[in-house]
């Protein structure tokens, strides 16, 4: 089974948070439901990559961003990666952050993903799933990109309000959500929340200039 390698790019290479803080679920998804969900999202992402490889078009970037937005809680992810700094942010800062950080993460994700070629994806295999915590399921996969040795990547799937979403990814046992929180926390400690906002705004301007 080949599937969601593109979402690893999102999880591993988005510097500012497309992963989620675990939240209390309304129900626990079954093993089969979680595996099917991960496979479905991955297949959709790889289909967009194949279409983009055949005919590069900005519409595929928009569609990928929508796919991520539907399956990752980006606002909750912003709160999580800010950690203890979220509570100290002003209302205006929070409003800016929940817009800026997901926008930046989605832009980086789309650019990174579409830099791949379909042939770069050597292998993706779902190798099993197990319950995680009180109400989540961890779907384990083996992923190989560009001939690299397979990575053990886990996708923690959560259900809330009748919807499944990925709330964290683990790469060789390391939580992406926690890693991102540590990175952002270090930047805020050095530059403050306003400094973080200014940096992200500058990076978005650079990306727009590059696109133009």
């Amino acid at each position: 089974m080949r599937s969601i390698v593109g979402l690893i790019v999102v999880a591993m290479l988005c510097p500012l948070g497309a992963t989620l803080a675990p939240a209390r679920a309304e129900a626990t998804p079954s093993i089969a439901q979680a595996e099917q969900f991960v496979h479905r999202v991955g297949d959709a992402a790889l289909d967009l990559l194949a279409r983009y490889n055949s005919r590069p078009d900005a519409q595929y970037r928009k569609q990928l961003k929508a796919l991520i937005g539907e399956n990752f809680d980006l606002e909750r992810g912003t709160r999580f990666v800010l950690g203890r700094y979220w509570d100290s942010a002003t209302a205006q800062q929070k409003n800016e952050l929940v817009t800026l950080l997901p926008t930046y993460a989605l832009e980086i994700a789309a650019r990174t993903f579409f830099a791949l070629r379909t042939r770069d994806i050597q292998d993706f295999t779902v190798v099993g799933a197990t319950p995680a915590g009180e109400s989540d399921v961890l779907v384990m996969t083996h992923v190989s990109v560009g001939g690299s040795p397979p990575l053990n990547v886990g996708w923690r799937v959560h259900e809330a309000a009748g919807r499944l979403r990925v709330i964290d990814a683990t790469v060789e046992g390391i939580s992406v959500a926690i890693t991102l929180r540590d990175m952002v926390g270090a930047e805020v400690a050095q530059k403050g929340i306003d400094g973080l906002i200014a940096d992200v705004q500058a990076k978005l301007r650079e990306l727009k200039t590059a696109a133009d």
Side-chain angles (χ1 to χ4, degrees):
M1 185 191 304
R2 294 172 181 269
S3 190
I4 58 173
V5 69
L7 295 185
I8 289 177
V9 176
V10 175
M12 293 178 67
L13 299 183
C14 285
L16 293 170
T19 54
L20 312 183
R24 185 173 182 82
E26 293 183 353
T28 301
S30 70
I31 297 295
Q33 286 174 325
E35 290 180 336
Q36 290 168 6
F37 166 73
V38 167
H39 185 53
R40 176 184 60 78
V41 174
D43 281 350
L46 289 181
D47 180 65
L48 288 173
L49 177 61
R51 290 171 182 267
Y52 185 84
N53 285 175
S54 297
R55 184 174 63 87
D57 193 303
Q59 68 170 310
Y60 300 126
R61 285 188 181 181
K62 292 180 180 179
Q63 291 174 21
L64 178 67
K65 292 175 184 179
L67 180 69
I68 298 169
E70 290 169 1
N71 295 286
F72 291 78
D73 188 336
L74 301 179
E75 180 177 345
R76 184 176 293 156
T78 299
R79 296 198 301 270
F80 182 71
V81 299
L82 281 165
R84 60 190 176 90
Y85 295 106
W86 177 261
D87 290 335
S88 62
T90 66
Q92 181 178 349
Q93 288 171 331
K94 289 177 180 178
N95 288 336
E96 290 188 80
L97 287 165
V98 296
T99 299
L100 283 173
L101 294 185
T103 298
Y104 178 61
L106 287 172
E107 189 62 36
I108 292 294
R111 289 167 183 264
T112 304
F113 183 72
F114 286 123
L116 291 170
R117 303 290 298 178
T118 305
R119 63 175 177 268
D120 293 333
I121 303 168
Q122 303 297 320
D123 183 60
F124 175 90
T125 306
V126 173
V127 296
T130 58
E134 296 182 357
S135 54
D136 303 332
V137 172
L138 183 66
V139 179
M140 294 304 302
T141 62
H142 287 169
V143 179
S144 180
V145 180
S148 63
L151 291 171
N152 295 306
V153 181
W155 302 92
R156 187 163 179 148
V157 178
H158 164 88
E159 180 177 350
R163 293 193 57 186
L164 298 184
R165 294 189 179 190
V166 175
I167 62 171
D168 193 13
T170 60
V171 181
E172 297 296 338
I174 299 173
S175 166
V176 174
I178 293 174
T179 300
L180 291 172
R181 184 178 62 184
D182 291 344
M183 291 169 57
V184 171
E187 183 166 357
V188 174
Q190 180 181 9
K191 301 179 180 180
I193 294 176
D194 284 336
L196 174 65
I197 290 172
D199 280 355
V200 177
Q201 289 172 331
K203 289 173 182 176
L204 282 170
R205 287 194 296 269
E206 289 174 5
L207 289 173
K208 184 178 185 302
T209 300
D212 294 342

